[in-house]
Structures are given as structure tokens and as C-alpha cells.
Amino acid sequence: MKWALLSIIVVATVLGDLLQSYEMKRSGEQAVDARGLAKLLRLIVSRRYLFLSIVAMAISFFAFMALVQIAPLSFAVPASAATFVLETLLAKLVLKEQVGPRRAAGALLVLGGVVLLAR
Amino acid sequence: MAVAPSKARTLWLTLVVVFLNASGDLSLTLGMKGIPGTMSVNPANYIRAMFHVRVALGIVLLILWLLTRMALFSWADLSFVVPVTAMGYVLAALLGHFYLGETVTPANWIGTFLIFFGTAFVGTTKPKTTDCVRVLP
């Protein structure tokens, strides 16, 4: 059961972040003042992939809550940190971002750090 | 209105996103710990919990975190935002240690430094390398 929940977390997190990044790239740079934040709220309901990304984030959140009820946090946190590597890979392959050696090394260092932090 | 964010503004927004996430999680945790009994699958329990001041504050902070993170995604790459905002793990560990009195082991501190250096590595790269790639209908 814990592996099924972990798979749901990883897939939902990666899908949510990928869709959110994709839609926000398409929408152009957004301001972070009161007007900008209100516009972002409107975007969530008007852009289907953005809405889907919020649904995916909610699924990931509730699956994580369920996972920590049956598995220790020291398993849940580092295992779900696999999303760092997957998202960096998919950002390069799907979103065509330039992931150079420094960015790739940084993502791997963060992954190692999260694993140690949860021990 | 569209803005052209500099790298300094992007890093500043990153700090705001990290702070909102950590403080939202902390407020939610403190609020949930203050509610007597255990939560069940009954949705009414969760709705009642939302009226607890710290839980409500946590929810507001996490909504602001979601919106500012969306804005950050419009300013910077996914492969930049995800590792850099992992600094939140460090902040959460520090808050847990100094505010909640949780134990931080030597392995935890090494992990903290790895995240710090990983974040610094990614932070030195150009935040945005691509604009819009149409891959979905």
C-alpha cells in the first residue's frame, strides 16, 4: 500500500508542477501585487491545465497525509523527493528548459540533502 | 500587468515563496496539534478545524504560497524553482529545532548543508531559459 501511495504522490506532484509551469510560461510574467494575485486566482478557474495542476497537487497532498499514517516520515519525505530528479528531467525533455551541469548537480545535491534531512 | 523580473527580484520572490510555505506549514501543524482528539474521515471535523485561528492562518498562508509560486513559475524555469524552493526543507528543520524543540541529528545538519549548496548551485544559473513551448492542445 505504501508503494502505491508513494507512486500516486510522485506522479501527482510531477504532473501538477509540470502543468503549472507550462501554463504559467504561456501566461507571461505575472505581477505579485494584490491585482496580480487576484488575476492568478482567476487564471486557476479559466485555464484547464492550471485547474488540473491544482487537482493534482490536492491528490498529492491527501496521498501524503495517508502515507504518513502508515509509514514513517523518514520514509515518506526522502522517497517523495524523487520528484526533484524527475521534474528536472521532464523540464528538459518536455518544457525544453536548458538544464546545464550546475543545475543538474544542484538538483542532485538537494535530493541527497532531503534524504539526509529526513533520517 | 506584465513585468520583466530581474534575477534579484526572482531570488527575492523565491525567498517569499519559501517563507510562506514554511510559515504556513508551521501554523497548520501548531493549529492541528492544538485540536483535541484525532481527526477521522468525517469532513465535518476538518471544517471545524478550519475555524481554529492557527489552522485558518496556515490555510491563508498556504493559499498565498500557491499564488506566489504560480507567479514564480511565470518568472523562472521549473528546473530552477523546484530545487531552489527546497530551501524550505532547511527552514522547516530550523523552525522545528528552534521553535518546536525537535532534535536535529548530525546527518540532518549534513543534509541541511547539501540542500544549501544545491540551492546555491542552481541559484547561480539563469532563472529563465525558455518562454513558451506548445506541447499540449
Side-chain angles (χ1 to χ4, degrees), chain B residues 71-117:
Chain B
L72 185 58
F73 272 136
S74 75
W75 293 16
D77 289 346
L78 174 66
S79 57
F80 179 89
V81 172
V82 170
V84 168
T85 52
M87 189 60 94
Y89 285 101
V90 175
L91 196 57
L94 293 176
L95 283 173
H97 180 60
F98 292 110
Y99 198 70
L100 299 175
E102 292 174 353
T103 307
V104 179
T105 65
N108 296 156
W109 286 119
I110 295 170
T112 300
F113 282 112
L114 282 182
I115 294 174
F116 180 80
F117 285 118

Side-chain angles (χ1 to χ4, degrees), chain A residues 13-14 17-18 81-111, chain B residues 77-84 122 125 129:
Chain A
T13 303
V14 171
D17 284 352
L18 211 59
T83 55
F84 288 112
V85 176
L86 269 176
E87 287 187 21
T88 304
L89 269 175
L90 290 172
K92 183 177 174 64
L93 297 173
V94 180
L95 301 175
K96 308 296 178 198
E97 292 177 3
Q98 292 170 26
V99 181
R102 260 188 302 171
R103 207 176 264 192
L108 286 173
L109 279 173
V110 168
L111 171 68
Chain B
D77 289 346
L78 174 66
S79 57
F80 179 89
V81 172
V82 170
V84 168
V122 178
T125 64
T129 62

